[in-house]
């Protein structure tokens, strides 16, 4: 199993760390390796994109997310629009998340 994320994005990188902590069998890769512009998850012969990729990665890591489950019930067109808005603004959104502080 492989999860392709934007390794230059704090939100994506933190998501990748959470997934890797919960399931060490999932490899975390940079999505540019796949010439992709969105997060994707490979599970055997299946490939999941955008919110479906996030949902599948979380499921394989044994985690659930209520908000994501609600988003996945929306029509595909609305999901695509919402994903596009979030992905284009993820660097601004990441400013509102606390930074990792190293202990000395």
């Amino acid at each position: 199993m492989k999860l392709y994320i934007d390794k230059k994005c704090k939100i994506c990188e933190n998501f990748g760390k959470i997934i890797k902590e919960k399931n060490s069998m999932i490899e975390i890769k940079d999505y540019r390796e796949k010439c992709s512009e969105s997060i994707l998850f490979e599970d055997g012969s299946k490939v999941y994109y955008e919110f479906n990729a996030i949902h599948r990665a979380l499921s394989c890591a044994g985690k659930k997310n209520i908000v994501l489950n609600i988003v996945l019930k929306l029509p595909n067109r609305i999901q695509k629009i919402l994903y596009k808005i979030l992905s284009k603004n993820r660097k601004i959104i990441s400013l509102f998340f606390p930074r990792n502080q190293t202990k000395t």
Side-chain angles (χ1 to χ4, degrees):
M1 292 181 282
K2 296 178 184 174
L3 175 63
Y4 292 87
I5 60 171
D6 180 357
K7 287 201 166 188
K8 293 181 180 180
C9 169
K10 289 179 207 169
I11 294 172
C12 298
E13 194 172 15
N14 286 336
F15 177 68
K17 285 179 187 176
I18 291 167
I19 296 300
K20 189 72 174 172
E21 285 174 5
K22 298 293 182 183
N23 186 337
S24 62
M25 300 296 291
I26 299 173
E27 290 181 67
I28 309 299
K29 304 270 192 175
D30 194 308
Y31 73 162
R32 288 168 194 80
E33 291 178 29
K34 284 287 192 179
C35 299
S36 179
E37 292 186 15
S38 70
I39 189 170
L40 61 103
F41 184 76
E42 290 180 346
D43 182 9
S45 61
K46 291 188 177 182
V47 179
Y48 302 88
Y49 297 91
E50 299 173 353
F51 287 123
N52 288 314
I54 296 167
H55 182 261
R56 187 67 187 143
L58 285 169
S59 294
C60 289
K63 296 194 66 77
K64 294 181 181 180
N65 186 294
I66 294 170
V67 174
L68 185 59
N69 288 338
I70 293 169
V71 169
L72 289 172
K73 292 186 187 305
L74 298 172
N76 281 343
R77 186 173 179 187
I78 294 173
Q79 286 182 42
K80 293 249 182 234
I81 292 168
L82 184 58
Y83 185 85
K84 204 167 258 203
I85 291 168
L86 291 173
S87 67
K88 287 196 182 286
N89 295 294
R90 69 185 183 275
K91 291 187 174 136
I92 294 169
I93 294 168
S94 71
L95 296 174
F96 296 98
F97 287 90
R99 296 193 177 169
N100 293 341
Q101 296 183 7
T102 56
K103 294 181 180 179
T104 54

